[in-house]
Amino acid sequence: MDINGKISEELNVNKKQVNSTIKLLEEGNTVPFISRYRKEATGNLNEEQIRNIEEKFNYYTKLEDYKQTVIKNINEQGKLSDSLREKILKSEKLSDVEDLYLPYKKRKKTKADIAVENGLEPASIKVMLGEDIDDEYLKNFINDNFKSKDDIKEGIGNIIGQSFAHDKENRDYFRNLFFKFGRISTNKKKKFKEEFTKYDVYDNFSQLVKAIPDYRVLAINRGEKENILSVKVVLEEEKYKSKIKEFLKGKKLNDEIISMGLNYGLKNMLLPSLEREIRQTLTVRAEENSISLFSENLKQLLLTPPLKNKRILAMDPGFRTGCKVVALDEYGNLLENTTIFPVEPKNEVEKSMKIIDKIIDHHKLNLIVIGNATASRETQQFIVQYIKQYDKNLKYIFANESGASVYSASKLAKKEFPDKDVTVRGAVSLGRRVQDPLAELVKIDPKSIGVGQYQHDVDQKSLKEKLRNTVESVVNNVGVNANTASYALLEHVSGLNSNIAKKLVEYREKNGPFKERKDILNVKGIGAKSFEQAAGFLKIYGGINPLEITSIHPESYEIAEKLLNHIGFKKDDILNKNDEIRSNLISFLNDENRINEMSESLNTGIYTLKDIINDLLKPGRDPRDELPQPILFDDILNFEDLKEGMKLEGKVNNITDFGAFIDLGIKENGLIHKSNIAEKFVKHPSEYLSINQIVTVEIIEIDPQRKRISLKLIK
């Protein structure tokens, strides 16, 4: 198989682009580096396209290796024909190779295998050819293992049934029937029939295989795993009756044996095998889509705009153990911590107000962050009362506590705050999540962040790899301050890993901040290749070279300086936000002829030149700053205040296959079902909504008992 040609065809990408991308990957370049700094080689392919090429290449490479293994195994059995070899080599899917290999695969001995060993195969061929047979003919095959005419008929039928079940064309035919007419059928098991479970909707449930949504597949799988549901894939006999008739010969004895055999092959081999395959196919599809959704949600969450220059009072609420309070400067450094008891059971409201007022004034804090778990709404009421009573020009925001406990007990947290307990570390994490969400959230296993759907039910290896790629993509897209980033953030930079990231931080702590990117080469473990991959994503603020606050790679510094010189400026001028520089650079971008001339003059690619210009236009740019800012509050709204028809502003904080959950500034999230997102049919909520998006919604139904809020998207 021409693997690169096949990838080119499937992904609708020029083969030359595929060839170049594979070559770059094989040379040890990372996807972010290739995507950003090798655009001329790839023809400006984006990260997703490059990862798709990498994924397809790995799949087809493994497929070709497996084909050779299958051919070798069949050949060793002395059963490899030229036509079979050709079919295997031409196969483009693993399932096709598996179907062709099935009759020759080593397995536990079946009734059909025993019948073949006892010499019944010639009789099975005769029966299937429609040649005349009778009782006298069958008696010729009687032996110690097949002692009667009925035994012989059964043995011949078993051979026919197994041959039928293992035939690739038959498997394809029934596979298509399953996907067209098959139904997933589920029931609660007897011992749960009278009990209330979260799977009650799946009792006496049935849906077409082709119509069942992914989230339902995963829910059913979980119910089965918890031993509450029994699950079957059902194909009505009526759908394949005509196929069975094709094998009948119109002769009584032949047809009796054939019918018996096909029934055996269907019930014992083909249908159970395909049922497992259909379940697996549905599961893989559902898991892939769930992982992709989780990945997209995570990406959007990590891109949450940081609230810069905020000095924060972060609060981790609690009842009996009190509310942990920490003060953080604008860089996330811990200034002070204490514990207050403003809610039940102590209700020390006035005392708590005096304590936080003193902390806020002393450290000049300008934002309050409240964790959204236990006692959060009671703490919110306390804060709103404090703001009004003390006449403070302050606002507050909720921080999602998902994963905070994971961080607070981690080695990194212990190293950052060795003399503080887990509750203080957790409160610090909440505050930092608002100041710089990306820098803080990368310290936590993505599965603990709370934006997934059935994340614990999917293939964990695939999930981990996909989420790792997502974090890597976001970190390198945003860029990292080489002098302030934690090793947890640095380890996601292209070309670095956990060990090198730790050594970089240790070197920085020992020798002081880096003055230039090239100083990073002094860190043990960073060689020329690692530096090449990482340098453009590591930014140096306040260093020797102003270009190093941009994403311009050191290999292109000379080009950037020549470009600036051409329009009458020096690299130091980019820090002055000079309008003349901007207008000159913008005129370049808007004039293809000038771009082409400059590209030739500087002997550099057009894609690279355009990237350099864009970086010079926005030195130190943070792409997150261009996204909607979080909502800040200074008052309070309760569930009891809500009414149907009310219009509110909220923030999307999770997206699933069936809808989006909206933070309305109260304890309970609202749900916009996908049927209430637009007037037309919505295939998936992500077509219209994204994590952190600020939306206006209308309340269409309130369920006071279950405290559920149904919403409709307005804009």
Side-chain angles (χ1 to χ4, degrees):
M1 182 196 292
D2 175 8
I3 292 178
N4 289 8
K6 179 67 177 168
I7 295 171
S8 169
E9 180 186 329
E10 282 192 23
L11 299 180
N12 194 27
V13 174
N14 186 286
K15 188 177 176 182
K16 185 180 177 182
Q17 292 175 287
V18 176
N19 293 340
S20 297
T21 300
I22 296 299
K23 185 172 184 292
L24 286 165
L25 289 166
E26 289 181 332
E27 289 171 352
N29 297 291
T30 67
V31 174
F33 176 81
I34 296 170
S35 170
R36 179 63 177 80
Y37 298 112
R38 292 297 178 264
K39 290 183 177 180
E40 270 67 38
T42 68
N44 200 28
L45 295 179
N46 61 37
E47 268 196 52
E48 184 179 359
Q49 290 172 306
I50 294 169
R51 290 199 192 278
N52 286 339
I53 289 172
E54 182 179 36
E55 187 179 311
K56 293 280 185 186
F57 182 77
N58 291 337
Y59 173 82
Y60 285 122
T61 301
K62 289 177 183 176
L63 178 61
E64 290 303 296
D65 290 343
Y66 185 60
K67 286 180 188 178
Q68 295 306 316
T69 300
V70 168
I71 288 171
K72 180 174 176 285
N73 290 345
I74 298 175
N75 190 45
E76 286 174 353
Q77 297 175 35
K79 297 177 180 179
L80 183 66
S81 65
D82 290 341
S83 63
L84 178 57
R85 181 197 295 271
E86 190 69 17
K87 284 180 182 177
I88 293 170
L89 290 174
K90 284 185 176 179
S91 296
E92 296 182 346
K93 292 191 295 186
L94 180 61
S95 60
D96 288 340
V97 179
E98 290 284 13
D99 281 350
L100 292 167
Y101 187 29
L102 186 59
Y104 312 96
K105 210 168 187 178
K106 288 183 180 179
R107 59 183 180 272
K108 186 178 178 181
K109 193 177 289 186
T110 65
K111 291 180 180 180
D113 295 332
I114 295 169
V116 170
E117 288 175 359
N118 282 268
L120 299 186
E121 191 168 24
S124 70
I125 294 171
K126 193 176 180 72
V127 169
M128 288 305 293
L129 289 174
E131 295 179 8
D132 292 334
I133 60 169
D134 56 22
D135 289 350
E136 289 303 314
Y137 173 77
L138 297 178
K139 285 178 182 177
N140 293 325
F141 295 94
I142 290 176
N143 60 29
D144 290 342
N145 294 315
F146 293 83
K147 298 178 181 180
S148 68
K149 181 184 67 172
D150 288 339
D151 289 345
I152 301 297
K153 287 197 290 187
E154 184 181 349
I156 294 171
N158 289 341
I159 296 172
I160 291 170
Q162 180 165 286
S163 176
F164 171 84
H166 288 176
D167 181 80
K168 186 179 185 310
E169 287 187 10
N170 292 335
R171 292 182 69 81
D172 283 341
Y173 177 85
F174 276 86
R175 185 180 285 120
N176 290 334
L177 282 184
F178 264 111
F179 278 112
K180 195 172 183 180
F181 302 111
R183 301 187 74 87
I184 296 282
S185 178
T186 65
N187 276 289
K188 284 169 65 177
K189 293 191 173 181
K190 277 186 180 179
K191 62 180 179 179
F192 294 103
K193 279 289 185 182
E194 304 304 320
E195 290 183 28
F196 171 77
T197 74
K198 57 186 174 182
Y199 302 107
D200 286 0
V201 68
Y202 296 114
D203 192 26
N204 296 317
F205 170 84
S206 177
Q207 188 168 14
L208 283 168
V209 166
K210 65 182 180 182
I212 192 163
D214 295 330
Y215 70 87
R216 197 164 282 164
V217 171
L218 295 176
I220 287 170
N221 287 355
R222 183 189 285 181
E224 183 181 41
K225 188 176 180 180
E226 293 177 10
N227 209 29
I228 296 172
L229 297 178
S230 59
V231 186
K232 290 182 180 179
V233 183
V234 181
L235 180 63
E236 294 175 4
E237 190 175 339
E238 195 65 36
K239 300 299 181 186
Y240 56 83
K241 265 187 179 180
S242 59
K243 181 68 174 177
I244 300 302
K245 287 179 181 177
E246 292 177 11
F247 291 88
L248 302 179
K249 308 301 175 183
K251 295 181 178 181
K252 186 177 180 182
L253 187 52
N254 294 58
D255 289 352
E256 178 191 343
I257 295 173
I258 290 170
S259 296
M260 182 195 312
L262 296 186
N263 185 60
Y264 166 77
L266 279 167
K267 298 292 168 61
N268 294 283
M269 296 180 177
L270 183 55
L271 295 181
S273 170
L274 289 179
E275 180 178 4
R276 289 191 296 272
E277 184 182 312
I278 299 301
R279 290 286 308 277
Q280 178 65 12
T281 300
L282 290 175
T283 296
V284 168
R285 185 195 72 190
E287 288 188 355
E288 286 177 350
N289 290 334
S290 177
I291 290 171
S292 293
L293 178 61
F294 192 168
S295 170
E296 184 57 31
N297 286 350
L298 175 64
K299 176 182 176 181
Q300 293 166 7
L301 181 66
L302 293 177
L303 285 171
T304 302
L307 289 179
K308 297 177 180 177
N309 302 316
K310 294 295 183 183
R311 296 173 67 87
I312 283 175
L313 183 82
M315 308 178 73
D316 184 1
F319 288 112
R320 185 181 55 81
T321 56
C323 181
K324 304 301 180 290
V325 176
V326 300
L328 305 175
D329 68 15
E330 56 267 50
Y331 306 108
N333 297 312
L334 178 61
L335 304 172
E336 183 179 347
N337 68 275
T338 189
T339 302
I340 58 175
F341 298 86
V343 300
E344 294 180 350
K346 291 192 176 181
N347 289 317
E348 296 176 350
V349 177
E350 292 299 329
K351 180 180 177 181
S352 297
M353 283 187 185
K354 288 177 182 177
I355 292 171
I356 66 167
D357 188 59
K358 185 178 179 182
I359 294 172
I360 288 169
D361 283 348
H362 178 68
H363 297 293
K364 297 180 172 59
L365 308 183
N366 51 23
L367 181 66
I368 298 172
V369 176
I370 305 171
N372 70 341
T374 306
S376 63
R377 300 307 157 173
E378 291 81 359
T379 304
Q380 176 196 23
Q381 290 173 339
F382 161 74
I383 287 299
V384 170
Q385 185 180 346
Y386 161 74
I387 290 172
K388 290 178 178 177
Q389 190 169 319
Y390 279 68
D391 194 22
K392 292 288 182 178
N393 184 25
L394 281 171
K395 289 186 180 292
Y396 67 88
I397 188 172
F398 287 105
N400 191 336
E401 289 192 27
S402 295
S405 60
V406 175
Y407 161 75
S408 61
S410 68
K411 290 180 181 178
L412 176 59
K414 290 174 185 175
K415 185 177 180 182
E416 286 187 299
F417 303 104
D419 59 338
K420 302 297 181 184
D421 67 26
V422 292
T423 58
V424 174
R425 296 175 198 152
V428 171
S429 179
L430 294 177
R432 287 177 171 179
R433 287 185 188 197
V434 170
Q435 291 177 318
D436 191 340
L438 176 60
E440 197 61 26
L441 291 173
V442 294
K443 300 175 183 177
I444 302 163
D445 182 347
K447 287 186 293 183
S448 302
I449 292 177
V451 290
Q453 174 182 270
Y454 296 101
Q455 62 262 38
H456 300 292
D457 300 314
V458 302
D459 182 81
Q460 295 301 296
K461 183 180 178 183
S462 298
L463 177 63
K464 185 176 182 180
E465 182 180 355
K466 184 77 171 179
L467 298 185
R468 185 185 68 235
N469 290 342
T470 300
V471 175
E472 178 187 59
S473 174
V474 173
V475 168
N476 289 286
N477 180 38
V478 171
V480 170
N481 187 332
N483 285 322
T484 60
S486 68
Y487 75 78
L489 186 58
L490 287 165
E491 70 180 4
H492 297 289
V493 171
S494 167
L496 306 186
N497 57 36
S498 181
N499 288 332
I500 294 177
K502 288 176 183 176
K503 288 175 183 176
L504 191 150
V505 171
E506 288 168 4
Y507 180 92
R508 192 177 71 199
E509 290 172 347
K510 182 179 178 182
N511 299 283
F514 297 107
K515 295 287 189 286
E516 295 181 90
R517 278 172 169 159
K518 65 182 181 182
D519 292 343
I520 294 167
L521 279 164
N522 297 327
V523 176
K524 189 176 180 180
I526 297 184
K529 189 67 176 180
S530 296
F531 179 77
E532 176 195 50
Q533 301 296 303
F537 304 110
L538 294 170
K539 298 182 180 181
I540 309 291
Y541 294 87
I544 294 171
N545 188 344
L547 294 177
E548 298 193 331
I549 67 170
T550 74
S551 295
I552 298 171
H553 198 280
E555 65 188 12
S556 297
Y557 285 170
E558 186 178 349
I559 296 167
E561 291 190 56
K562 284 181 178 178
L563 173 64
L564 286 168
N565 290 339
H566 179 78
I567 60 175
F569 293 94
K570 296 179 180 179
K571 61 186 178 184
D572 291 328
D573 295 325
I574 68 171
L575 300 177
N576 301 326
K577 297 182 180 178
N578 191 302
D579 289 338
E580 192 177 345
I581 293 179
R582 286 181 54 79
S583 62
N584 272 279
L585 292 173
I586 289 170
S587 70
F588 261 107
L589 276 180
N590 294 334
D591 190 332
E592 287 298 324
N593 290 330
R594 292 184 72 190
I595 283 282
N596 291 333
E597 288 171 9
M598 185 57 67
S599 172
E600 286 185 29
S601 170
L602 297 176
N603 192 27
T604 191
I606 289 174
Y607 295 124
T608 298
L609 181 59
K610 286 183 175 180
D611 280 346
I612 290 171
I613 293 172
N614 279 315
D615 275 316
L616 292 173
L617 279 169
K618 296 180 180 179
R621 166 185 174 268
D622 187 334
R624 297 173 295 174
D625 292 341
E626 297 169 12
L627 299 171
Q629 292 290 306
I631 302 174
L632 302 180
F633 303 98
D634 59 8
D635 211 332
I636 194 167
L637 184 70
N638 293 310
F639 184 89
E640 291 70 27
D641 299 325
L642 302 180
K643 292 180 175 58
E644 292 181 9
M646 185 181 283
K647 294 178 176 62
L648 299 168
E649 194 175 59
K651 180 185 77 171
V652 179
N653 64 6
N654 197 14
I655 295 174
T656 67
D657 286 340
F658 53 84
F661 290 93
I662 310 298
D663 180 356
L664 300 169
I666 65 172
K667 184 174 184 179
E668 298 77 13
N669 283 325
L671 172 66
I672 310 176
H673 189 270
K674 64 181 182 179
S675 61
N676 292 314
I677 290 176
E679 296 299 326
K680 59 183 181 179
F681 173 74
V682 175
K683 187 175 181 181
H684 199 278
S686 59
E687 296 173 5
Y688 290 81
L689 300 169
S690 57
I691 300 291
N692 290 322
Q693 182 177 342
I694 307 302
V695 294
T696 303
V697 294
E698 179 182 345
I699 299 174
I700 56 176
E701 187 178 351
I702 298 172
D703 183 342
Q705 272 192 323
R706 294 187 290 180
K707 291 212 164 182
R708 290 186 177 177
I709 310 160
S710 297
L711 305 171
K712 178 181 179 181
L713 181 66
I714 297 177
K715 63 177 181 178

